[in-house]
Structures are given as C-alpha cells and as structure tokens.
Amino acid sequence: MRFVCNVCGHAGNELLPIHFENPELSSCTACGSNVRFRWLADRLGRELFGRHLLLPDFPVDRSIRGLGLTDPTSLAKPLAERFKYINTFLDIRPKLDIRTGKSPLGQLDFLIASEVFEHVEPPVANAIRNAASMLRPRGFLLMTTPWIWDGDGQQVLPELHDWKLDYTDTDCIVLNRNRDGHVERFCDFSPFGSEGWSFGRTREHFPELYQWRLVEAAGAWRVENVRRDGAAEIFHNLCFHGGRGLALEMRIFTKASLEHDLRAAGFTSIEFDNQEYADFGIIFPHQWSYPIVARKVE
C-alpha cells in the first residue's frame, strides 16, 4: 500500500505486511514517521482547519497556541514554525510535569500527549485533570496511549500485585506474583473484547508509589518502593517501552476507565478515532489502542 507521508511530504512510501503487524514501526523512508505520528499530524489539521493537509502545508497562524509533551522532532519543528507552540519535556528544558505544571503559553488551543499517560506516576487522574485545565473552552487534547477493552464482567481478574501482561505466539497471559511470593498465571486472557479473563478496569502496576527507585541487579531491574504508610514493596515484573527510567509502564488503561477519567477531568466530547486514511498511510490493524480526541466544549 503506497502513501504520501503527511509529516514530511515524501511520496512513494509503502506499507509492508510488517507494518500491519506493528504500526509503531517506522514506515516513511524520509523522516521515519510511523502510523501514530501521521495520525497526530492529520488529526491536528482536521481539528484546526477542517481538512486533510500535509503538515508542510499547514497555514502559519501565531494566534493558535499549542503544547507538546515530548513530541517527536519531525512534528515539533514544523509546529513551532507555524503556531505559538512549545515542545516540553519532563527531564530537560523546557520542562513541564503534566501532573502539576502550568502552561507557559496560557490557555491552549491544543495539547499533544502521545505515549505519555501510561508512564505518569499515580494517581494518573491528577495529570488528566491538569491537562484539561490547560485548555481553553473548545480546546482539544490529542492523546495516544495503550488501552485494552474492559471485558464483559464475567471473568474479571482478581486484585494483582507484581504483574505484567505477556504475549506468546498464540495467547496473552497475565503473570502475577502475590504479596506472599506465590506466582500465578492467567491464561486465556482476552484484552481485545472476546471471551476470557479481562482486567475489568484500568490496572496500576504500582498503585501506592511514593518514595521509589529503579534498581538493577544481576542484569534484571526491579522497583523498590516505600509507601506513605512506611511499608516497603519490591516489584519484579516490570515493563519498559523502548527503554528504561521514564519509559517504565505504570499502568494498562481500559477503554471505559480511560473515558471515565477524561470525563471526570472536564472533557465533554471524547472520540476514539478508528477512521483510516490510506493516502497518508494511516491504518489501524488492531481493535484496541485507537487514538483519542478529547475536547472541552463551552
């Protein structure tokens, strides 16, 4: 499937079978964009200008205010050239902690948070509320984050302690280490809406995270945490997204729980966008983790 990259304008790209298996893989031979980057650029254009546009063709309008949370350079640079836009980071300047930080531009027309909220320290609801507070009425949040379906409530997993979601060639498995050290496996797990064990709601890896650190020993990483009540915890079943440290997975969202948190934060219009646009190589081969547009409406 051939497409034009709407991030950089390069034509003659091709989606291969491997990109349908993993849309996070780079698929533009010029700028290296993937499906997620192209969706962000396309949806931003549709929200602001009402039509599909190449990012290089976005009009210059300095009255439009936007903020990025660790946006890729391929998006951040052209956005800064066209709008009053700042790309922020947690650990380097310009810094912004989405849990408590304030917008350096005042009320925003848009906020981009791509693969951010799954890494925010709990409680994540505080970060979502703060994100909503940065937006003006009718402002919008473009959000991508991994999420799965809640399930039908018939086989909801019990409380989990030190857990991770693991994948085999044919199945998904939840591995959990109870507080007493007993290890249990939940097979026939269905994060995608079919029958089987389900989360039932968003599940936190470290719900009482307070004073914590990452520790490496014998080639393995663990989280050592001291809760507010003084109790010590150690977690071994860690999941990193493309690295360590800030890429530590804090939770797996479920769709209904995520929508609930967004509405509770003040977003009154929430769309899980599964509309594909083949001309720009925007395809969604899986039935989960659709990107999200959340709007504040007057």
Side-chain angles (χ1 to χ4, degrees):
M1 186 174 107
R2 294 191 175 274
F3 68 93
V4 176
C5 176
N6 60 320
V7 174
C8 69
H10 180 69
N13 298 295
E14 188 175 8
L15 286 179
L16 303 173
I18 193 171
H19 297 124
F20 289 87
E21 296 172 10
N22 184 1
E24 280 292 299
L25 294 176
S26 168
S27 43
C28 173
T29 57
C31 73
S33 72
N34 58 21
V35 171
R36 175 163 54 91
F37 295 173
R38 295 193 293 274
W39 177 84
L40 289 167
D42 181 60
R43 193 59 198 247
L44 184 60
R46 285 190 283 148
E47 289 295 317
L48 293 176
F49 307 114
R51 63 189 188 276
H52 298 286
L53 284 172
L54 300 177
L55 182 53
D57 293 338
F58 277 26
V60 174
D61 187 342
R62 299 293 181 183
S63 71
I64 296 175
R65 300 185 179 195
L67 204 67
L69 304 179
T70 320
D71 286 344
T73 302
S74 59
L75 290 177
K77 186 175 183 295
L79 292 180
E81 293 169 349
R82 287 157 176 79
F83 309 134
K84 193 170 185 179
Y85 161 92
I86 297 176
N87 194 21
T88 64
F89 305 87
L90 181 62
D91 56 343
I92 62 174
R93 294 183 182 275
K95 291 185 178 182
L96 189 140
D97 187 337
I98 191 58
R99 297 174 300 170
T100 58
K102 303 304 178 185
S103 165
L105 300 176
Q107 285 199 304
L108 303 169
D109 295 285
F110 68 88
L111 174 64
I112 300 176
S114 185
E115 308 302 280
V116 170
F117 281 96
E118 67 270 27
H119 302 298
V120 172
E121 292 183 30
V124 70
N126 290 349
I128 297 175
R129 280 196 298 269
N130 193 51
S133 74
M134 295 183 184
L135 292 165
R136 66 169 179 80
R138 304 192 68 79
F140 59 92
L141 167 69
L142 297 185
M143 179 182 186
T144 71
T145 190
W147 59 262
I148 60 178
W149 296 92
D150 298 72
D152 59 9
Q154 299 301 308
Q155 286 184 276
V156 177
L157 292 172
E159 293 300 321
L160 303 173
H161 175 56
D162 182 4
W163 62 273
K164 68 177 180 179
L165 182 58
D166 204 5
Y167 298 90
T168 69
D169 290 339
T170 59
D171 200 6
C172 296
I173 300 171
V174 173
L175 301 175
N176 181 52
R177 186 196 305 258
N178 290 328
R179 293 183 185 275
D180 61 6
H182 176 69
V183 176
E184 53 188 353
R185 296 162 56 93
F186 296 91
C187 301
D188 298 322
F189 178 74
S190 175
F192 314 131
S194 56
E195 294 182 358
W197 288 102
S198 65
F199 274 2
R201 64 186 186 282
T202 294
R203 298 294 181 112
E204 298 283 340
H205 284 290
F206 324 108
E208 297 186 72
L209 205 63
Y210 180 49
Q211 295 178 336
W212 67 281
R213 61 177 184 165
L214 274 171
V215 178
E216 184 182 20
W221 288 87
R222 66 177 183 266
V223 166
E224 296 181 354
N225 179 50
V226 178
R227 301 181 339 202
R228 289 183 182 275
D229 62 8
E233 301 175 312
I234 297 178
F235 301 92
H236 299 87
N237 284 324
L238 309 185
C239 179
F240 296 97
H241 295 182
R244 301 194 300 268
L246 300 180
L248 177 64
E249 181 183 273
M250 294 286 177
R251 64 192 55 80
I252 293 182
F253 288 106
T254 62
K255 182 177 183 289
S257 290
L258 181 55
E259 184 171 3
H260 173 272
D261 288 346
L262 288 165
R263 292 195 183 281
F267 292 101
T268 54
S269 173
I270 299 164
E271 177 187 350
F272 290 81
D273 185 4
N274 63 349
Q275 298 182 36
E276 300 180 336
Y277 192 62
D279 289 357
F280 288 167
I282 299 172
I283 50 94
F284 301 111
H286 306 305
Q287 301 296 313
W288 60 91
S289 295
Y290 295 136
I292 301 159
V293 185
R295 306 177 190 84
K296 291 177 67 175
V297 180
E298 291 177 312

